[in-house]
Amino acid sequence: MTHILYHLKENKEKFIKVLSCESNDLFLGYFKTYLYKVIDEYIFVDKVKDEKFRNFLKNHICCTSVESVKWWIKNQMQESPEQVADYFLKVVEPIIS
């Protein structure tokens, strides 16, 4: 998560423009697809046996990620990427533990 946030911060102006334009849904669709891959690789929801619930968890984590980024950008990225990642993990960790 921290790596993604650093990349967004380095390209802050571009992402603010993308998120404020009409095609922001297109960008968010691609971003969510990328996040699903990250979740599959780094967040171990595969221990959940129920496939429907596992897919629900992945969607929930993905949406939490997207909303965290949107919140961060809306607040002019005042927090460091590490702080936002920490916030995110505090929310997600109890779900996947």
Side-chain angles (χ1 to χ4, degrees), residues 57 60-61 63-65 68 84-97:
L57 283 176
H60 181 73
I61 293 166
C63 291
T64 300
S65 301
S68 297
V84 176
D86 183 57
Y87 292 163
F88 171 76
L89 288 175
K90 285 179 180 175
V91 170
V92 171
E93 205 166 36
I95 296 169
I96 60 175
S97 296

Side-chain angles (χ1 to χ4, degrees), residues 3-96:
H3 174 76
I4 293 168
L5 294 171
Y6 267 108
H7 182 67
L8 293 173
K9 189 164 187 156
E10 289 169 3
N11 297 286
K12 178 181 177 178
E13 298 305 319
K14 290 178 188 175
F15 285 107
I16 289 173
K17 286 179 185 176
V18 167
L19 290 175
S20 63
C21 75
E22 291 179 15
S23 39
N24 70 344
D25 287 337
L26 180 64
F27 167 75
L28 291 175
Y30 286 121
F31 189 48
K32 286 179 181 178
T33 299
Y34 171 75
L35 289 173
Y36 275 111
K37 292 177 186 176
V38 171
I39 291 166
D40 280 338
E41 192 169 334
Y42 296 105
I43 300 178
F44 305 104
V45 295
D46 58 340
K47 65 183 177 185
V48 176
K49 303 295 183 215
D50 183 333
E51 184 178 349
K52 286 183 182 180
F53 184 58
R54 183 174 53 246
N55 288 334
F56 175 83
L57 283 176
K58 288 165 59 172
N59 182 69
H60 181 73
I61 293 166
C62 180
C63 291
T64 300
S65 301
V66 169
E67 289 302 317
S68 297
V69 167
K70 288 168 61 177
W71 171 84
W72 187 49
I73 290 172
K74 182 181 175 186
N75 290 296
Q76 285 85 45
M77 298 178 168
Q78 293 177 16
E79 297 78 8
S80 69
E82 290 85 4
Q83 185 65 54
V84 176
D86 183 57
Y87 292 163
F88 171 76
L89 288 175
K90 285 179 180 175
V91 170
V92 171
E93 205 166 36
I95 296 169
I96 60 175

